Amino acid sequence: MSLLTNVMEHSLDDGYAEAASRRAEGLPRTLRAKLGLAAGLVLAAAVVTVGAAEARISAPVLAKERENLIDRVEAQTDSVDELEQSVDTLREDVQERQRRALRTQGGDQGGLVALLAGATEVQGPGVKLVVDDAKGTDQSGDGPRESSGFSDTGRVRDRDMQRVVNGLWESGAEAVAINGQRLTALSAIRAAGDAILVDNRPLVPPYTVLAVGEANKLSTTFQDSVDGQYLHALQENFGIRFSISDEQTVRLPAAPSLIVRTAEPMTPGAEQGSGTGTADTGKGTS
């Protein structure tokens, strides 16, 4: 009887009973986890929805601000263009007045003064000299030229162009231009890094030098001069290329900017050097 009573009171084995108890306790935990995950997803969806709604609302405002900014940029650009055109117009007017003053105030030599000052265009026989860097020139590097006056890099330097131009002046050139840039008595040939500047305007090789003068005589005189021999030395020693040819007609533009100076008679007892300079009709390039 005790055995039957025990079986009826304990129908499940202890191990099964313990497993069933653990299973019953785990069901609520799983349900809570699922509910928490669902709540998180709902919250995330709400955040995304709110963000999308705010972006849709603010999009027209941002687009309008962008359009306003573009309009302001375009308006300022147009204003700058107008100012540049005004500056160009005024510059041309000033240059024309300077040229007119040189022609009218120069007396019988007004035409010559304007020519030598670079105030007028020039056309006539002359020479064409093209100077270029050596083939395969290294754009960088220091060499003996920096210290001895020559270059092992094969690059044409500003001082080379100075000697070329001064050599042409001394050989009888009446007007000179480099790459279309008219030179005057106040023109400066300088360097900025590897670039050669003429009156602060950069030039790129090859450098085409046009000179007005007696073509055959000018070419021969220049090549026989010290500066012409210097150019030959650059060619032979460092591969710098150049060619010179006589031209029946060369055309040089007027100088883009002029500095007109006048001179006044000195009164007795006036301090030496108190007057201003001349019209700068001398030659030479520094």
Side-chain angles (χ1 to χ4, degrees), residues 27-278:
L27 286 176
R29 295 178 183 175
T30 303
L31 181 59
R32 285 196 299 270
K34 290 180 178 180
L35 290 176
L37 178 60
L41 292 175
V42 171
L43 180 60
V47 171
V48 171
T49 302
V50 172
E54 292 181 352
R56 188 178 298 107
I57 294 173
S58 61
V61 177
L62 295 176
K64 186 176 181 179
E65 292 179 354
R66 181 175 180 274
E67 292 177 358
N68 291 336
L69 181 59
I70 292 175
D71 292 339
R72 290 173 57 190
V73 171
E74 292 178 349
Q76 292 298 326
T77 301
D78 294 339
S79 176
V80 170
D81 292 340
E82 292 177 359
L83 291 175
E84 289 180 349
Q85 293 177 358
S86 177
V87 169
D88 292 338
T89 301
L90 293 174
R91 183 181 291 113
E92 292 176 358
D93 181 62
V94 170
Q95 292 174 0
E96 181 58 30
R97 290 174 182 270
Q98 290 176 335
R99 296 186 184 100
R100 193 181 308 122
L102 287 172
R103 290 193 295 267
T104 58
Q105 300 298 326
D108 295 338
Q109 301 296 321
L112 178 61
V113 170
L115 168 67
L116 297 178
T120 58
E121 296 182 357
V122 180
Q123 179 176 339
V127 298
K128 177 181 179 182
L129 175 62
V130 180
V131 184
D132 198 1
D133 296 337
K135 291 183 179 180
T137 298
D138 185 6
Q139 298 295 321
S140 61
D142 298 326
R145 190 177 195 182
E146 279 65 26
S147 58
S148 65
F150 289 98
S151 172
D152 63 347
T153 65
R155 289 186 58 82
V156 179
R157 305 293 187 182
D158 56 326
R159 53 182 171 269
D160 303 330
M161 298 308 301
Q162 291 174 8
R163 295 197 61 165
V164 167
V165 170
N166 285 330
L168 288 170
W169 285 125
E170 293 175 1
S171 299
E174 299 176 4
V176 180
I178 304 178
N179 286 13
Q181 179 76 21
R182 179 75 174 275
L183 301 181
T184 69
L186 298 180
S187 295
I189 300 177
R190 292 288 184 265
D194 289 331
I196 295 178
L197 307 180
V198 173
D199 292 336
N200 294 324
R201 298 187 179 183
L203 305 180
V204 295
Y207 307 102
T208 301
V209 183
L210 297 178
V212 174
E214 298 182 27
N216 186 32
K217 180 180 178 181
L218 178 59
S219 175
T220 303
T221 304
F222 171 74
Q223 294 188 71
D224 292 339
S225 67
V226 174
D227 297 313
Q229 295 300 316
Y230 171 83
L231 194 56
H232 279 285
L234 292 181
Q235 183 184 48
E236 293 175 0
N237 295 305
F238 308 105
I240 288 179
R241 295 167 289 174
F242 83 93
S243 63
I244 186 169
S245 60
D246 299 338
E247 301 290 330
Q248 293 292 332
T249 303
V250 294
R251 182 178 289 105
L252 277 61
S257 61
L258 296 174
I259 299 177
V260 179
R261 298 175 180 175
T262 59
E264 297 178 358
M266 293 180 58
T267 58
E271 184 178 354
Q272 184 72 21
S274 60
T276 57
T278 64

